[in-house]
Amino acid sequence: MKLLIIRHGDPDYSIDSLTPKGLREAELLGRRMVRYDIRDFYVSPLGRARDTADCTLSKLGRTAE
């Protein structure tokens, strides 16, 4: 078993989301993550983490716990 721990993209803490740079980082991450056979996704409930994960999840048609 492999466990991947991924930090959120560049955050905007004032609105609990990502900056424009962070959104680009999340998009690039999503492009790379679709290459892997990942069984389960777990995401923090914080907005910046969910925004980062959403790029990958939407590309795979998956959801996270």
Side-chain angles (χ1 to χ4, degrees):
M1 171 175 49
K2 290 184 180 180
L3 180 65
L4 300 174
I5 299 173
I6 298 171
R7 184 174 167 80
H8 53 75
D10 188 51
D12 182 340
Y13 292 111
S14 67
I15 59 171
D16 192 25
S17 187
L18 299 175
T19 64
K21 177 185 175 191
L23 290 170
R24 285 191 307 276
E25 292 170 342
E27 178 61 31
L28 292 170
L29 173 67
R31 290 182 195 173
R32 293 191 72 166
M33 296 307 293
V34 297
R35 301 178 196 166
Y36 299 98
D37 181 28
I38 301 173
R39 192 181 76 195
D40 298 308
F41 291 87
Y42 299 91
V43 180
S44 164
L46 296 174
R48 57 191 175 267
R50 298 208 63 63
D51 290 346
T52 300
D54 282 344
C55 290
T56 300
L57 295 172
S58 65
K59 287 181 184 330
L60 294 173
R62 304 277 301 278
T63 58
E65 291 188 43

